[in-house]
Amino acid sequence: MSRLDRSLIASLSAFQGLTPAELDRMVSQARSLRIARNRAVFEQEQDAHSFFLLLDGHIRVVKSTAEGGEVTVRYIGPGELMGIATALGRTTYPASAMAAVDCVVLAWPSSLWSEFASAYPAFGASTYQTVGNRLQDAHTRVVEMSTEHVDQRVAHALLKLVNQTGRKTEEGLMIDFPISRQDIAEMTGTTLHTVSRLMSAWEGKGLVRSGRQKVTVVEPHRLLMLAEGRTQKT
């Protein structure tokens, strides 16, 4: 991709309201990168040299713990910005971004973020909204961890992924990227054994179907009732 075209970003929410000339200026300063599955776009505590826009694929955001473990913080889909450490006042990345599938991203030097945010207020506001939404998501997860049973947390995680990336199939709504039970365990602060037990039980009840790194929600309404702690009347 020797010359990038503004059509890559023109329809995305972060760039709404920009003129064609402004879009051209922004995209001309980006570079396109292909990231193979399971490779890092950037790593936790690495110098935040760039910020990124995901054009294609799915990214798993992972945070390492002091004990040496890993927690899957969220998944990022096409059209989302990431690695905007400058907007948080950081000089290093707070987490790692791993390609869940082969991905294509645009990268800009972090030094340009302040320039863009100042020159294009709508872009700056959208970026801060993205940061705010992710901080709110983190707060919600803390509340879920402290107040919800593990089956509710796992149900909420599956529903969130389906809402973000769900693709309709004959069986139901399939999470449209490879995801393992270990990934779900990391997202919900529980163990692989617990997630496997829950998924097997839910498969037996017809709520979900799962295979090798594939999960399909067959009965989203019933799963929502479980996530909200409600029992379905017979």
Side-chain angles (χ1 to χ4, degrees):
M1 199 181 294
S2 56
R3 180 178 173 82
L4 301 175
D5 190 89
R6 64 173 177 261
S7 62
L8 291 170
I9 63 174
S11 63
L12 303 179
S13 60
F15 304 92
Q16 293 301 293
L18 274 68
T19 67
E22 291 169 339
L23 291 169
D24 284 341
R25 181 178 173 229
M26 290 191 76
V27 80
S28 70
Q29 297 181 78
R31 57 196 177 98
S32 175
L33 303 173
R34 295 184 180 275
I35 311 296
R37 181 183 176 187
N38 295 328
R39 298 295 298 273
V41 182
F42 54 84
E43 296 185 3
Q44 184 173 330
E45 299 305 328
Q46 178 186 15
D47 286 344
H49 51 78
S50 303
F51 67 95
F52 304 85
L53 173 73
L54 180 61
L55 290 179
D56 186 55
H58 293 280
I59 296 291
R60 185 166 64 102
V61 180
V62 179
K63 191 165 183 66
S64 299
T65 66
E67 295 76 22
E70 289 187 344
V71 175
T72 299
V73 179
R74 69 177 55 84
Y75 282 85
I76 289 176
E80 292 190 64
L81 292 164
M82 57 184 170
I84 40 180
T86 308
L88 294 168
R90 292 183 58 107
T91 59
T92 60
Y93 297 114
S96 299
M98 310 298 297
V101 295
D102 291 347
C103 295
V104 178
V105 303
L106 293 184
W108 289 268
S110 288
S111 59
L112 288 177
W113 182 84
S114 295
E115 178 184 327
F116 287 165
S118 176
Y120 315 122
F123 172 79
S126 178
T127 303
Y128 280 120
Q129 183 178 10
T130 296
V131 171
N133 289 342
R134 289 175 184 170
L135 290 174
Q136 181 60 45
D137 284 346
H139 174 73
T140 300
R141 287 195 65 193
V142 170
V143 172
E144 289 176 354
M145 293 288 189
S146 60
T147 63
E148 293 186 348
H149 296 298
V150 65
D151 57 342
Q152 292 176 276
R153 300 203 304 267
V154 174
H156 267 136
L158 293 179
L159 289 169
K160 182 176 181 179
L161 292 173
V162 160
N163 288 334
Q164 184 181 6
T165 71
R167 178 165 60 86
K168 287 186 178 181
T169 68
E170 292 182 357
E171 294 182 334
L173 297 171
M174 185 178 75
I175 296 171
D176 199 20
F177 58 85
I179 185 167
S180 68
R181 293 183 176 186
Q182 181 62 44
D183 294 332
I184 298 169
E186 291 175 6
M187 287 184 70
T188 54
T190 187
T191 64
L192 174 59
H193 172 76
T194 298
V195 170
S196 295
R197 176 176 55 80
L198 284 172
M199 294 291 286
S200 296
W202 292 348
E203 285 194 62
K205 296 177 180 178
L207 273 67
V208 302
R209 293 286 300 273
S210 63
R212 184 173 178 81
Q213 296 199 327
K214 290 184 180 296
V215 177
T216 299
V217 175
V218 179
E219 295 281 357
H221 178 68
R222 289 174 62 195
L223 196 63
L224 177 61
M225 292 183 70
L226 194 156
E228 294 180 346
R230 295 183 286 156
T231 55
Q232 191 171 22
K233 294 181 179 179
T234 57

